[in-house]
Amino acid sequence: MDFHRRLVELRNQKYISQEQLAEKLYVSRQTISNWERGKTYPDINSLLIISVYFDVSLDYLIKGDVVIMKHQVSQSQLRNWLILSGILFFAMSVIFPTRYLSDSNIFSIYFPIVGMPLLCCLFQVFYILGNKKTILLPTF
């Protein structure tokens, strides 16, 4: 059973509408609707409020959804490292060609400052991609 089904079940057990639940959880009715349809997933603060309101454990709420949450976290980390790599690559592409314009050997200072973090970012990206397992997720 997935989180969205559990949420619908818990809400129906208390005989409350999406509107009433939204007021209790300090979110909009559309947010509750999206959670119940499986379109979006609540953040950890919302999960805590839901578990307190319905007097259930977090394990009960998200059991079975751990794989999906790990995938989302992995995707988020990958995106962040790719953005940082892109910024550093752009900086490197500007600094590297301009080394010929400088009279002194200042390029030897720029390379470690920009090049090494770029290599670290690329290592992280390839590490995340290498450890990524194939997860079959439902598409909407």
Side-chain angles (χ1 to χ4, degrees), residues 17-65:
S17 66
Q18 287 182 344
E19 186 77 33
Q20 292 167 329
L21 181 60
E23 289 174 10
K24 299 287 185 189
L25 302 180
Y26 308 106
V27 296
S28 68
R29 187 201 56 77
Q30 290 83 5
T31 301
I32 299 294
S33 175
N34 286 336
W35 291 347
E36 289 184 353
R37 288 183 291 138
K39 289 263 186 193
T40 59
Y41 205 83
D43 61 355
I44 189 66
N45 293 330
S46 298
L47 284 171
L48 288 171
I49 294 171
I50 292 168
S51 71
V52 168
Y53 179 73
F54 289 115
D55 195 27
V56 294
S57 69
L58 284 176
D59 284 344
Y60 175 77
L61 282 176
I62 63 172
K63 201 70 148 176
D65 291 342

Side-chain angles (χ1 to χ4, degrees), residues 17-18 29 42 49 56 58 75-76 91 93 109 112 119 123 131:
S17 66
Q18 287 182 344
R29 187 201 56 77
I49 294 171
V56 294
L58 284 176
Q75 289 297 101
S76 174
S93 67
I109 296 171
L119 291 175
F123 173 78
N131 286 337

Side-chain angles (χ1 to χ4, degrees), residues 39-114:
K39 289 263 186 193
T40 59
Y41 205 83
D43 61 355
I44 189 66
N45 293 330
S46 298
L47 284 171
L48 288 171
I49 294 171
I50 292 168
S51 71
V52 168
Y53 179 73
F54 289 115
D55 195 27
V56 294
S57 69
L58 284 176
D59 284 344
Y60 175 77
L61 282 176
I62 63 172
K63 201 70 148 176
D65 291 342
V66 174
V67 173
I68 293 171
M69 290 177 72
K70 282 183 181 179
H71 177 73
Q72 289 175 344
V73 168
S74 174
Q75 289 297 101
S76 174
Q77 287 177 344
L78 180 63
R79 185 185 71 238
N80 292 343
W81 281 111
L82 284 173
I83 289 170
L84 186 59
S85 298
I87 291 169
L88 290 172
F89 183 75
F90 175 75
M92 193 69 176
S93 67
V94 170
I95 291 172
F96 188 74
T98 58
R99 74 180 190 278
Y100 297 112
L101 302 176
S102 177
D103 292 336
S104 64
N105 195 6
I106 202 149
F107 176 71
S108 61
I109 296 171
Y110 288 137
F111 183 74
I113 292 172
V114 177

